[in-house]
Amino acid sequence: MRSRHAAFPLFAVLSWGIMFPVLASALTRVDALNLTTARYVLAAAVLLPLLLGREGATALRAGGRAVEVVLLGVIGFAGFNVLTNLALGHAAPQQIALFVATTPLVTQLVRWARDGVRPRPVLLGLSLVALVGVGLVITRGRLDGLGQFGVGGLLMMGAVLSWAVYTHGASRFPEYSALRYTTLTAVAGTLAMLAASAVADLTGLQHAPAAADLVAVAPQLAYAVVVAAVLAVLAWNTGVRRLGAADAALFMNLVPVTTFVVQILRGYRPGAVELAGAALTIAALVAANLATRTRTAAVPAPAAALAVIDRPAVVDPVAVVAR
């Protein structure tokens, strides 16, 4: 029975792992900000009818928390996705995927800063090990590769931190369903991206894509919206409900594995140091998730009831729930 439930998070993480090479190919025709904006305009157009059909028009009201919803939407959707697409211009998809897989650990640090929930020392140590592994992949073990780490790495560190803050923010909306939190914050982030794109286009910082460019990347947009931003999140949230957050989080470690496989099938040949770094990162993340799951299982019921829970209200591409 549990193996059947595992199909839901498995589908989600495989979809997200494939998404990074897909977006990288689209960035050859459309700049990062306009591509992200177009993608989430379409995603919001799908999410809004879903919310209205399921919860009615009252679900569109923020209930006096509009400012917080907007801030989280801008940080999570605009911040994460724009920074990720910019990073794809400086780093390979498989490198980006490794950064994304560290989000559960970064979320632990965010909880420490915001709620005073101190991570276990083993989690902090494994976070450092995972970062060392990412560094090996990006630099290929060479000092002259540090410059590449500086640009793409810094962008992705900002992206992951943005998504961790957004994910943790879900715990502050216990009265919202996952779909409601996702939709309202996605719309807020999309509006922010529309405004930023308009300013950037008008000031010449970027150029609005021509119709031919949008047509050229239509297959990539269709995948990123329908599969990665709608079907995958629904599958993820279903898996979290049926397996539990701790078990589902383990599947996140397949995101970089999937991206590596896609890149290899496209002709990429990773070196020994790069493979070793990827293995080190994935091993550290698996160990961290197992340690977190063990800790959660060991907490007595009364204490668990008082713990801060990060609800599964994430759209894309890192639906993580840190506990």
Side-chain angles (χ1 to χ4, degrees):
M1 180 68 70
R2 287 181 66 83
S3 61
R4 186 176 66 183
H5 296 333
F8 292 101
L10 181 62
F11 170 78
V13 298
L14 292 178
S15 301
W16 293 328
I18 294 171
M19 186 187 67
F20 293 107
V22 169
L23 288 179
S25 66
L27 287 169
T28 60
R29 297 293 297 266
V30 181
D31 65 85
L33 183 53
N34 277 318
L35 178 65
T36 308
T37 302
R39 181 183 172 203
Y40 277 96
V41 166
L42 296 173
V46 175
L47 288 169
L48 276 171
L50 284 176
L51 179 62
L52 288 172
R54 185 170 181 177
E55 301 186 28
T58 57
L60 297 177
R61 300 171 186 168
R65 308 186 66 181
V67 173
E68 193 174 1
V69 167
V70 169
L71 286 176
L72 287 169
V74 171
I75 292 172
F77 285 94
F80 174 82
N81 289 285
V82 172
L83 289 174
T84 297
N85 281 344
L86 289 173
L88 282 168
H90 299 276
Q94 64 270 19
Q95 299 167 353
I96 299 302
L98 279 174
F99 270 103
V100 168
T102 66
T103 307
L105 294 178
V106 176
T107 306
Q108 294 280 347
L109 299 179
V110 170
R111 291 183 66 203
W112 185 12
R114 298 194 64 181
D115 298 325
V117 182
R118 183 188 297 271
R120 298 169 65 190
V122 66
L123 291 179
L124 295 177
L126 289 170
S127 299
L128 180 60
V129 172
L131 186 59
V132 170
V134 172
L136 287 174
V137 172
I138 292 181
T139 64
R140 295 181 176 87
R142 295 162 43 186
L143 292 178
D144 58 0
L146 290 175
Q148 186 179 10
F149 179 87
V151 178
L154 287 176
L155 288 168
M156 278 312 300
M157 288 174 67
V160 170
L161 180 59
S162 297
W163 198 256
V165 170
Y166 171 79
T167 301
H168 175 266
S171 65
R172 301 179 181 275
F173 290 80
E175 71 279 14
Y176 282 23
S177 68
L179 178 60
R180 184 183 180 190
Y181 178 78
T182 295
T183 303
L184 294 185
T185 51
V187 169
T190 300
L191 292 176
M193 286 184 278
L194 278 170
S197 291
V199 171
D201 289 337
L202 291 173
T203 58
L205 293 176
Q206 64 183 23
H207 299 288
D213 292 325
L214 291 176
V215 171
V217 301
Q220 293 96 316
L221 276 175
Y223 179 88
V225 173
V226 177
V227 178
V230 177
L231 295 180
V233 68
L234 293 175
W236 175 263
N237 284 336
T238 300
V240 168
R241 290 179 182 275
R242 296 187 180 185
L243 292 176
D247 286 343
L250 290 171
F251 286 86
M252 284 301 299
N253 301 292
L254 292 176
V255 172
V257 174
T258 304
T259 305
F260 262 90
V261 170
V262 171
Q263 290 297 87
I264 290 172
L265 291 175
R266 297 177 66 196
Y268 178 75
R269 295 295 176 263
V273 173
E274 194 173 359
L275 289 174
L280 182 64
T281 298
I282 293 169
L285 295 173
V286 171
N289 283 330
L290 288 173
T292 302
R293 182 172 62 174
T294 301
R295 176 70 171 180
T296 303
V299 175
L306 297 175
V308 177
I309 304 297
D310 290 336
R311 291 162 55 85
V314 186
V315 161
D316 163 268
V318 274
V320 293
V321 182
R323 301 185 96 164

